[in-house]
Amino acid sequence: MEKLSTSISDFEELRQNNYLYIDKTEFLAKIISSDKYYFLSRPRRFGKTLFIDTLEKFYQGKKELFKGLFIYDKDWSWEEYPIIRLDFNRLEHSTTENLKIEMEEFLNGYAQEYDLKLNSTLISSKFEELIIKISEKENKRVVLLIDEYDKAIISHLSQDPEEIKIAKSNQNFLKTIYDNLKPLVKHLELVFITGISKFSKLSIFSTLNNLKELDMHPGFSHMLGYTEKELHHNFEPYFKEFAAETEISKEELYAEFKRMYNGFRFSDEDIRVYNPYSIAKALAAKKIDNYWFESGTPSFLIELLKDEQYEIPKLSDLEVFKSQLKAYDITRLQLIPLLFQTGYLTIKEKLGRDFLRLGYPNQEVETAFSQNLISELSNYEADLSLIRKLRLAINNFDLEAFIVNIRYLFESIANINIPAAASERESYYHTMFYLIAELLADRELKIDSELLTARGRIDMVVESKDKVFIIEFKANQSAERAIKQIKEKGYADKYKLKDKEIILIGINFSTDQKNISEHLIETIN
């Protein structure tokens, strides 16, 4: 059985050392046989660097590395091309001056490798000169591979004006680099650029108007990440081994992996993929956990959520114009395209030609995002043992214990980061209750928040194997009013055909007491 890698992005190392590689060379074949300039944005840890490396090895003519893969027996010359590979993860960018120094050292390094002397003084001109001189010396067009083009920009996205100033300055500098690429068409075989975010073409790729954007392009939806078919076809032995060492059957494991890690959709094509990093980590450790969030949520996203006072529950079911997901300007950060491009939201459904429904891709993203938000909004690290008690209380139908533990949790975050205005406090507690409830979801409990019905939105539905809990939240009103709304709006109607016991829970929150003031529980027979 081939080894699993969670950190190797070197195609040659994977192929020569018996590591599992999921064949994505079908997309490589599409790329090299059509256009010249490409751009691909994907969330972090989706395999962008590995794909860049695969392109590099292809253009180095290393055919034997591709033996058994889609592209191997295709009619390609497999000739070697000169390659310039620029990885912005490796360049220091705390100031634009530092970035310029790093870029100049990078260009001088390539000039030395090809025994060339560069005469230009401007870095942008030196980059152009390097490409022309390499092409002329080797008598071949140059392959230019740029990985994480936006690293020097998004690392400085913040509400801090000084950080935004650095981001803008870095962006302006990089624009001069890319502006010099278009006139070099006769010297370039391929330009392939990757990143996480997509900034306005006018601000960074203004002259590359023939740049083919693959991020939402039909036909490239599963270029990175694993489809359901790829998961079952390539990882079957690992699931068997996982199942043999646990009390979970292989079928249950597949279902749990789908709930936790599947769901990323990047285009109009209804093709959803698994996060490859999480799959490798979970199968290697034989443990289902939140792996994609190990490095945490970028602070600027939290700052944006706070600054815009965004209603967090809406993120799980959001209708937007397709155009809202396109490029944005860093001086005017927009929350929804940022959340989509960084992978926190994904396409759940296409609603006609111009509209999309967005939501969290999967349980891993939703749970870890909720945990992170609780911590950021309250300075409280969610007590996982308390979350387990809440799950246990629901599963054992011990609703009084559930309420007691909810009270305890809110007591532990009282007086921390609580807004002064009463109206803002109501929204704050509603959001905190929503985030806490989102942490309860596991394979035994299905959680739906802000669930849309024909007559309104249900605050929360918790569904177990034999019960449905419909929860309505009120602030500074009454638990009785919450129960009355559930009944008047007919929130339980859609669940009556499920042959499950239906329990209505009304909760009233007092912003003065900073906790639950009363609750009511009713069972529908």
Side-chain angles (χ1 to χ4, degrees), residues 319-338:
E319 292 183 15
V320 300
F321 281 107
K322 190 187 295 186
S323 59
Q324 286 180 255
L325 304 183
K326 295 188 180 295
Y328 58 90
D329 194 301
I330 62 173
T331 59
R332 192 167 56 88
L333 297 179
Q334 299 172 51
L335 181 63
I336 301 308
L338 269 169

Side-chain angles (χ1 to χ4, degrees), residues 34 88 109 163 176 281 325 384 495:
S34 53
F88 278 97
E163 284 295 300
T176 65
K281 291 285 282 187
L325 304 183
L384 296 182
Y495 299 100

Side-chain angles (χ1 to χ4, degrees), residues 65-326:
L65 292 177
F66 294 84
K67 192 170 185 178
L69 302 180
F70 176 89
I71 205 170
Y72 180 76
D73 56 359
K74 300 299 181 287
D75 188 21
W76 309 113
S77 61
W78 293 94
E79 60 182 303
E80 186 176 356
Y81 285 83
I83 299 166
I84 296 176
R85 180 172 173 179
L86 175 54
D87 183 356
F88 278 97
N89 278 313
R90 299 184 179 185
L91 301 189
E92 208 281 318
H93 50 73
S94 58
T95 67
T96 304
E97 286 308 308
N98 286 346
L99 181 59
K100 287 179 179 179
I101 291 169
E102 291 274 285
M103 276 292 295
E104 188 158 29
E105 289 181 355
F106 167 82
L107 297 175
N108 289 337
Y110 266 100
Q112 186 176 359
E113 181 181 333
Y114 284 90
D115 196 23
L116 298 171
K117 182 181 179 181
L118 302 179
N119 300 313
S120 302
T121 53
L122 289 175
I123 295 174
S124 56
S125 299
K126 187 175 284 192
F127 195 26
E128 179 182 8
E129 184 185 358
L130 176 68
I131 292 170
I132 292 171
K133 285 188 171 179
I134 290 177
S135 175
E136 290 176 345
K137 181 173 183 177
E138 299 296 313
N139 197 28
K140 281 188 177 180
R141 292 187 295 270
V142 173
V143 173
L144 178 59
L145 305 175
I146 300 175
D147 199 10
E148 304 289 3
Y149 89 99
D150 52 352
K151 181 70 173 180
I153 304 170
I154 62 172
S155 295
H156 299 283
L157 293 186
S158 169
Q159 299 301 84
D160 181 348
E162 288 303 311
E163 284 295 300
I164 285 292
K165 186 177 178 181
I166 295 171
K168 189 68 177 174
S169 179
N170 285 350
Q171 183 187 50
N172 289 336
F173 165 66
L174 293 174
K175 182 179 182 297
T176 65
I177 300 292
Y178 300 120
D179 281 351
N180 281 0
L181 294 181
K182 188 176 181 181
L184 301 178
V185 62
K186 68 178 183 179
H187 297 286
L188 290 167
E189 175 68 16
L190 178 82
V191 176
F192 196 91
I193 303 169
T194 77
I196 292 176
S197 296
K198 186 167 65 173
F199 302 108
S200 168
K201 277 189 177 182
L202 294 175
S203 63
I204 195 160
F205 297 136
S206 57
T207 60
L208 295 181
N209 51 15
N210 55 345
L211 189 69
K212 186 170 183 178
E213 299 176 7
L214 302 179
D215 52 303
M216 296 183 72
H217 195 289
F220 290 87
S221 302
H222 57 294
M223 177 174 161
L224 301 182
Y226 306 144
T227 63
E228 191 78 34
K229 183 178 179 181
E230 286 173 327
L231 186 83
H232 284 258
H233 178 73
N234 293 281
F235 292 94
E236 175 79 5
Y238 306 94
F239 277 92
K240 282 184 179 178
E241 191 177 79
F242 195 153
E245 294 186 23
T246 64
E247 296 179 357
I248 308 174
S249 70
K250 189 178 68 173
E251 290 70 26
E252 287 177 311
L253 275 177
Y254 276 125
E256 185 66 359
F257 267 65
K258 185 171 186 175
R259 186 181 72 86
M260 280 291 290
Y261 307 123
N262 193 21
F264 292 93
R265 175 180 170 181
F266 299 109
S267 76
D268 285 352
E269 286 185 295
D270 192 8
I271 297 177
R272 299 161 201 270
V273 295
Y274 289 80
N275 176 282
Y277 178 76
S278 296
I279 293 300
K281 291 285 282 187
L283 289 175
K286 296 182 179 60
K287 182 182 179 183
I288 297 169
D289 208 340
N290 299 325
Y291 296 105
W292 190 59
F293 272 75
E294 285 179 340
S295 57
T297 303
S299 59
F300 71 87
L301 287 178
I302 303 296
E303 290 172 3
L304 265 180
L305 283 164
K306 288 180 180 178
D307 197 53
E308 295 186 12
Q309 296 183 355
Y310 198 86
E311 295 181 53
I312 306 298
K314 288 186 177 180
L315 293 177
S316 61
D317 184 17
L318 190 66
E319 292 183 15
V320 300
F321 281 107
K322 190 187 295 186
S323 59
Q324 286 180 255
L325 304 183
K326 295 188 180 295

